[in-house]
């Protein structure tokens, strides 16, 4: 299972980086999203895979029965997903505004402050 | 107001009818998640997301303007209030000479809510803040 | 007592939340901005005094003991950084009152500034590597909006670059945290320090160290990852640029120093040698880049890069003296660099341009401003007795003690070129005659003049004071450096008696 997830993570990283190399800024944002998904999957895999053993404490006990899945990576991923969602929402608005003011989604036409001088 | 006309044309009877039943159910469900959150799976965060989904659905079926009226407070105010409630619940612990955010439980047992304590209040703060953030983003994007 | 460590976070947080409630009342927002930043500064000062007197302060949030709970730690280094953050915040808020337009104020300029300050303080005070990521993101989200706000074309383009590069850096940072958790099973920095020193897989640790180097290198604008900085910093309003220039890259440097003193000290021969090389290249590229520019903000932006090189050089040499030099350098640099941007903003306000060719004659028309520019500019170049001289002197002495004459030579040459850049601005903006084509200067209202000049005068005064009373500041810096170099103290403070 780990090997499948490892390849999947690698594939997602590759796709994300490829998308970021494209000139279209829409694809750039999609690449960034893929990159963050790849990272989440990596944390999930590296944290160790334990199937069908949620870390829940049964009624009347103080520790969950072993073996149980490590909850920390899942908590990290949840946090990362939330942050990623916020950043992505902002990025979408940003490219929308940029597209409106520049009139293109080709990153070659973005000159920034150098374009002024 | 071209945008609103277009939206009215796109209104479907199915969506409108479904919304009428779904919005109250979603809101109730979000409160259910909120009230059990401090002891069992659930909590202010998911609760806030579900409530946000209810208002977003309403905004889709009707208009953003009407959804804002339904919400009554601007989302921004909700964010601020929620954050302040959450911090406030953390500060309660200081009165008991404990570190910030330590859970303080009272002996009072409420019917649905369960034991009253600062983690529950923290959850309420999170619920309001998350609802505010989600609607702030969705309303802004829909009004573009 | 534990609340004290959290106050630099809670004060900006609460004032920002209040500012959200008073969205339409810009006077209230301004007042809250001032209250939040002054509160931040005062609490940070008290924190620093307490840490100096009683040693490292630790808070376990929610009373969950480390390494299970969320830990906040204030040692001398984080205390110093938080105080610097407070100083810049106060200066920028006062400056913003007169320089930020109504539109930005309406779109939440002050709450965002306060959230940014919260993220910065959080990064300095956290004792947990994942929380460091979260605070970085808080800081970045606020900075994204502050850069993009205003919707001018150049601004959006600069913001897009800034957002993209920072998201890539965050993704790498998060990947590194994931792998670190995989090999050590903890995220608490104190426990990580213990675990990594006993690690069975030293090569893996070095790999993670390199990931952290790239992630923080991007944030700190280290060679060869600096290219985004001159493209994105100058597009924001100048008060924001000053804040970013002073603090944001330094948060990256702080994180570098923290992880490369506490966590990754297994293979110093490799990691720190690499850092030294990068430091030299960063200094050179930064200063050469600056020499080719002819716009004030871009010259100063390139100088940020070259100055980062000095700080990383102190870290790379890894002796008590060198680290003390690096910390001294950070203290000096944050104040001077923010001040130079603020002065650049005043020049633009007076003459309507940042381009050297459009400017001139300010020495004759605004003598006071010329003096105020000279203080931080000469300090940046390292002219005695100003603060920059002592910072550079310490670093160069440390490198000679370590038998690294090459880096000492690089540091000297770069500081000479810095002097060249500063005299270029001086000659073009202040000394040469005013170009005929430039429109008449716009007069400032008395209140605007006060709000613009007060922070500049205060920061210039701090520079002079640090220069004249270098001894106590240096003792503080070397104490902080000693703390950094003996992680045992940090670990016992966090984990209690059982390291």
């Amino acid at each position: 299972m780990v090997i499948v997830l490892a390849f999947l993570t690698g594939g997602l990283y590759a796709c994300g980086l490829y998308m970021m190399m494209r000139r279209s800024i829409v694809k750039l944002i999609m690449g960034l999203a893929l990159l963050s998904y790849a990272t989440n999957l990596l944390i999930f895999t590296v944290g160790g895979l334990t199937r069908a053993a949620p870390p829940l404490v049964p009624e009347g006990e103080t520790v969950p029965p072993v073996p149980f899945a490590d909850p920390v990576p899942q908590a990290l991923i949840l946090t990362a997903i939330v942050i990623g969602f916020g950043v992505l929402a902002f990025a979408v608005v940003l490219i929308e505004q940029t597209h409106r003011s520049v009139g293109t989604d080709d990153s070659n036409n973005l000159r920034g402050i150098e374009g002024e001088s | 107001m071209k945008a609103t006309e277009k939206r009215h044309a796109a209104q479907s009877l199915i969506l409108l009818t479904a919304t009428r039943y779904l919005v109250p159910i979603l809101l109730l469900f979000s409160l259910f998640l909120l009230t059990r959150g401090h002891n069992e799976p659930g909590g202010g965060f998911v609760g806030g997301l579900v409530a946000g989904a209810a208002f977003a659905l309403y905004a889709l079926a009707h208009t953003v303007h009407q959804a804002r009226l339904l919400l009554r407070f601007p989302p921004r105010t909700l964010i601020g209030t929620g954050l302040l409630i959450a911090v406030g619940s953390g500060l309660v612990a200081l009165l008991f000479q404990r570190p910030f955010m330590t859970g303080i439980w009272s002996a009072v047992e409420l019917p649905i809510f369960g034991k009253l304590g600062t983690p529950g209040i923290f959850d309420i703060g999170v619920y309001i803040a998350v609802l505010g953030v989600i609607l702030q983003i969705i309303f802004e994007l829909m009004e573009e | 007592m534990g609340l004290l460590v959290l106050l630099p976070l809670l004060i900006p947080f609460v004032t920002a939340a209040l500012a959200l409630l008073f969205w339409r009342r810009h006077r209230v927002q301004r007042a809250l901005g001032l209250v939040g930043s002054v509160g931040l500064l005062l609490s940070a000062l008290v924190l620093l005094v307490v840490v100096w007197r009683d040693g490292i302060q630790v808070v376990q949030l929610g009373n969950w003991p480390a390494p299970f709970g969320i830990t906040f730690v204030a040692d001398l280094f984080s205390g110093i950084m938080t105080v610097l953050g407070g100083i810049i915040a106060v200066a920028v808020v006062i400056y913003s009152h007169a320089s930020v337009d109504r539109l930005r104020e309406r779109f939440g300029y002050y709450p965002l500034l306060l959230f940014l300050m919260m993220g910065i303080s959080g990064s300095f005070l956290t004792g947990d590597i994942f929380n460091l990521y979260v605070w970085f993101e808080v800081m970045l989200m606020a900075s994204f909006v502050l850069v993009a706000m205003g919707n001018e074309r150049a601004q959006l383009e600069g913001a897009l670059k800034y957002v993209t590069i920072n998201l890539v850096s965050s993704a790498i940072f998060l990947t590194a945290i994931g792998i670190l958790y995989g090999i050590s099973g903890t995220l608490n920095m104190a426990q990580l320090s213990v675990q990594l020193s006993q690690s069975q897989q030293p090569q893996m640790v070095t790999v993670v160290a390199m990931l952290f180097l790239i992630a923080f290198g991007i944030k700190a604008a280290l060679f060869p990852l600096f290219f985004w900085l001159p493209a994105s910093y100058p597009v924001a309003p100048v008060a924001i640029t000053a804040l970013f220039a002073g603090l944001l890259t330094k948060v990256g440097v702080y994180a570098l120093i923290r992880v490369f003193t506490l966590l990754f000290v297994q293979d110093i021969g490799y990691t720190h040698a690499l850092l030294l090389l990068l430091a030299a290249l960063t200094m050179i590229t930064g200063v050469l880049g600056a020499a080719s520019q002819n716009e004030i903000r871009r010259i100063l932006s390139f100088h940020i890069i070259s100055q980062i090189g000095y700080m990383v050089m102190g870290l790379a040499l890894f002796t008590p003296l060198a680290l003390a030099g690096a910390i001294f350098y950070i203290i000096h640099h944050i104040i001077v660099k923010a001040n130079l941007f603020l002065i650049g903003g005043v020049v633009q306000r007076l003459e309507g341009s940042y381009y050297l060719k459009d400017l001139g004659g300010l020495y004759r028309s605004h003598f006071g401003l010329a003096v105020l520019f000279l203080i931080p500019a000469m300090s940046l170049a390292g002219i005695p007795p100003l603060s920059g001289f002592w910072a550079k002197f310490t670093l160069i002495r440390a490198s000679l003690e370590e038998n690294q004459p090459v880096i000492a030579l690089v540091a000297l040459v770069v500081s000479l070129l810095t002097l060249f850049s500063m005299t270029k601005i001086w000659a073009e903006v202040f000394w040469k005659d005013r170009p005929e084509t430039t429109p008449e200067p716009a007069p400032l209202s008395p209140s605007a003049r006060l709000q613009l000049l007060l922070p500049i005068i205060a920061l210039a005064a701090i520079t002079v004071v640090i220069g004249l009373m270098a001894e106590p500041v240096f003792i503080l810096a070397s104490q902080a450096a000693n703390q950094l170099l003996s992680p045992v103290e940090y670990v016992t403070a966090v984990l209690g008696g059982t390291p």
Side-chain angles (χ1 to χ4, degrees):
Chain A
M1 194 60 194
V2 172
I3 203 92
V4 177
L5 283 174
F7 274 106
L8 191 58
T9 311
L12 277 173
Y13 271 118
C15 293
L17 288 174
Y18 175 73
M19 291 290 258
M20 287 177 64
M21 306 288 172
R22 309 292 295 273
R23 275 162 58 176
S24 154
I25 51 177
V26 179
K27 288 180 180 144
L28 168 78
I29 298 296
M30 287 161 76
L32 283 172
L34 285 178
L35 213 59
S36 73
Y37 302 149
T39 310
N40 293 341
L41 203 56
L42 177 116
I43 297 177
F44 184 65
T45 317
V46 165
L49 301 173
T50 316
R51 286 189 68 185
L56 293 176
V57 186
E59 199 77 49
E61 302 268 332
T62 51
V63 282
V66 280
F68 59 89
D70 187 355
V72 176
Q74 301 185 19
L76 302 189
I77 294 167
L78 179 64
T79 317
I81 288 174
V82 171
I83 293 174
F85 163 75
V87 172
L88 208 63
F90 173 75
V92 168
V93 176
L94 183 67
I95 57 168
E96 208 259 337
Q97 295 282 356
T98 312
H99 182 257
R100 192 175 294 172
S101 93
V102 183
T104 167
D105 84 329
D106 188 340
S107 55
N108 268 17
N109 294 344
L110 300 182
R111 307 236 47 134
I113 194 162
E114 294 114 69
E116 283 179 356
S117 53
Chain B
M1 293 312 288
K2 258 254 169 70
T4 41
E5 277 168 31
K6 230 162 70 189
R7 194 168 294 289
H8 276 295
Q11 268 175 356
S12 86
L13 189 63
I14 301 174
L15 185 61
L16 277 176
T17 321
T19 306
R20 189 178 302 159
Y21 293 103
L22 275 176
V23 167
I25 294 175
L26 280 172
L27 286 176
L28 267 180
F29 182 58
S30 78
L31 287 177
F32 166 73
L33 285 171
L34 169 68
T35 49
R36 57 184 255 138
H38 43 285
N39 273 328
E40 291 184 56
F45 188 82
V46 258
L49 284 181
V50 173
F55 283 102
L57 184 66
Y58 193 84
L60 268 181
H62 301 271
T63 57
V64 175
H65 180 66
Q66 277 172 312
R68 278 188 196 275
L69 288 182
L70 185 72
L71 189 65
R72 304 186 98 187
F73 301 101
R76 213 175 280 119
T77 314
L78 291 181
I79 303 175
T81 320
L83 293 179
L84 285 179
I85 293 176
V87 178
S89 79
L91 291 173
V92 173
L94 296 171
L95 299 178
F96 295 85
Q97 306 283 322
R98 302 276 175 74
F100 181 65
M101 286 277 180
T102 309
I104 303 289
W105 298 92
S106 73
V108 186
E109 191 100 20
L110 293 180
I112 305 164
F113 199 72
K115 237 183 190 176
L116 201 62
T118 51
I121 301 173
F122 181 77
D123 256 355
I124 295 174
V126 172
Y127 177 95
I128 299 174
V130 169
L131 178 63
V133 170
I134 293 290
L135 292 182
Q136 176 79 29
I137 295 172
I138 290 180
F139 286 174
E140 290 285 328
L141 283 178
M142 283 178 76
E143 277 170 353
E144 279 285 323
Chain C
M1 211 56 230
L3 185 65
L4 190 56
V5 180
L6 296 173
L7 274 182
L9 289 163
L10 288 179
I11 291 174
F13 183 75
V14 170
T15 40
L18 282 173
L20 286 178
L21 296 181
F22 295 99
W23 191 253
R24 298 266 166 245
R25 313 269 299 275
H26 82 269
R27 267 173 199 284
V28 181
Q29 294 225 348
R30 282 179 168 197
L32 281 169
L34 199 59
V35 168
S37 52
V38 171
L40 168 62
L41 176 59
L42 292 179
S43 60
L45 278 172
V46 175
L47 179 65
L48 183 60
V49 171
V50 170
V51 173
W52 173 257
R53 217 179 46 206
D54 304 338
I56 298 175
Q57 299 288 311
V58 180
V59 181
Q60 317 284 4
L61 271 200
N63 220 0
W64 298 100
F68 307 111
I70 294 173
T71 311
F72 281 89
V73 191
D75 65 353
L76 274 177
F77 185 38
S78 15
I80 295 171
M81 297 302 286
T82 321
V83 170
L84 290 169
I87 294 174
I88 300 302
V90 174
V92 165
V93 166
I94 296 175
Y95 191 88
S96 301
H97 282 184
S99 69
V100 169
D101 49 284
R102 211 35 80 73
L103 190 76
R104 284 197 173 81
E105 285 190 340
R106 274 234 316 272
F107 278 96
Y109 176 83
Y110 291 108
L112 282 168
L113 204 67
L114 290 166
F115 277 124
L116 181 71
M117 287 319 299
M118 176 178 80
I120 291 173
S121 304
S123 312
F124 291 152
L125 292 171
T126 184
D128 181 296
I129 195 89
F130 186 74
N131 266 40
L132 183 63
Y133 168 78
V134 174
W135 291 120
F136 260 76
E137 292 302 305
V138 169
M139 177 180 100
L140 287 176
M141 279 300 273
S143 70
F144 288 165
V145 186
L146 283 171
V147 168
M149 211 184 229
N151 285 342
E152 288 157 31
R153 179 178 166 153
Q155 231 181 351
L156 289 168
E157 293 175 359
L160 197 64
K161 288 170 192 163
Y162 180 72
V163 170
T164 310
I165 197 73
N166 273 303
L167 290 185
V168 172
S169 148
S170 295
I172 297 171
F173 186 10
L174 198 56
T175 310
I177 290 174
I179 299 175
L180 198 58
Y181 183 75
I183 51 180
S184 68
T186 180
L187 293 165
N188 184 292
M189 291 210 260
Q191 206 187 15
L192 273 173
S193 167
V194 178
Q195 297 267 352
L196 293 181
S197 62
Q198 302 157 353
S199 175
Q200 304 298 316
Q201 307 159 281
Q203 311 87 342
M204 217 35 211
V205 176
T206 310
V207 170
V208 178
M210 288 303 107
L211 280 176
F212 274 107
L213 177 61
I214 296 169
F216 295 147
I218 291 176
K219 312 252 186 222
L222 207 58
F223 179 88
L225 308 163
F226 60 84
F227 47 86
W228 57 272
L229 192 148
S232 60
Y233 272 20
V235 298
V238 74
I240 290 299
T241 312
L243 185 71
F244 284 16
L247 288 176
L248 286 201
T249 43
K250 258 54 72 185
V251 179
V253 175
Y254 168 85
L256 271 179
I257 293 184
R258 181 62 78 197
V259 298
F260 280 95
T261 55
L262 189 62
L263 306 184
F264 305 118
V265 286
Q266 293 79 25
D267 195 3
I268 290 178
Y270 176 69
T271 49
H272 289 63
L274 182 64
L275 279 172
L276 195 62
L277 179 68
L278 291 180
L281 290 170
T282 310
M283 282 190 248
I284 297 169
T285 36
V287 86
L288 290 181
S292 70
Q293 297 299 324
N294 52 13
E295 203 253 38
I296 296 178
R297 291 175 301 175
R298 285 177 63 80
I299 296 177
L300 293 175
S301 293
F302 271 104
H303 274 297
I304 300 174
I305 299 166
S306 83
Q307 311 283 311
I308 295 289
Y310 284 96
M311 298 165 206
V312 176
M313 165 186 162
L315 168 65
L317 291 169
F318 210 61
T319 62
L321 185 67
L323 261 180
I327 294 170
F328 198 116
Y329 208 103
I330 293 175
I331 299 173
H332 140 75
H333 169 90
I334 288 181
I335 298 207
V336 162
K337 184 54 81 178
N339 203 6
L340 282 172
F341 273 100
L342 294 181
I343 294 169
V346 173
V347 170
Q348 193 267 348
R349 182 72 173 261
L350 290 168
E351 301 284 324
S353 175
Y354 285 110
Y355 287 94
L356 297 180
K357 62 176 174 7
D358 301 334
L359 296 166
L362 276 176
Y363 177 74
R364 198 167 299 160
S365 57
H366 295 85
F367 177 72
L369 190 66
V371 174
L372 284 175
F373 170 78
L374 264 191
I375 293 171
M378 291 300 112
S379 181
L380 193 74
I383 304 292
L386 295 159
S387 58
F389 168 73
W390 301 108
K392 282 183 179 157
F393 177 73
T394 316
L395 280 173
I396 288 168
R397 214 182 111 193
S399 60
L400 290 178
E401 275 180 12
E402 278 293 286
N403 274 326
Q404 300 274 11
V406 181
I407 191 84
L409 189 69
V410 170
L412 281 173
V413 171
V414 168
S415 95
L416 205 64
L417 287 170
T418 310
L419 187 61
F420 160 73
S421 254
M422 288 301 123
T423 44
K424 183 165 94 178
I425 298 183
W426 169 257
E428 294 277 329
V429 176
F430 293 95
W431 203 245
K432 84 168 182 221
D433 285 331
R434 230 162 146 271
E436 303 276 319
T437 50
T438 314
E440 276 303 297
L444 290 174
S445 72
S447 73
R449 182 199 284 274
L450 182 72
Q451 282 163 341
L452 291 176
L453 290 185
L454 191 66
I456 295 175
I457 295 170
L459 292 179
I462 294 174
T463 312
V464 174
V465 168
I466 294 176
L468 295 179
M469 305 195 344
E471 179 89 23
V473 182
F474 181 74
I475 291 172
L476 183 67
S478 58
Q479 286 287 334
N482 287 335
Q483 249 178 18
L484 284 175
L485 284 175
S486 59
V488 181
E489 210 177 324
Y490 186 95
V491 171
T492 29
V494 174
L495 296 180
T498 51

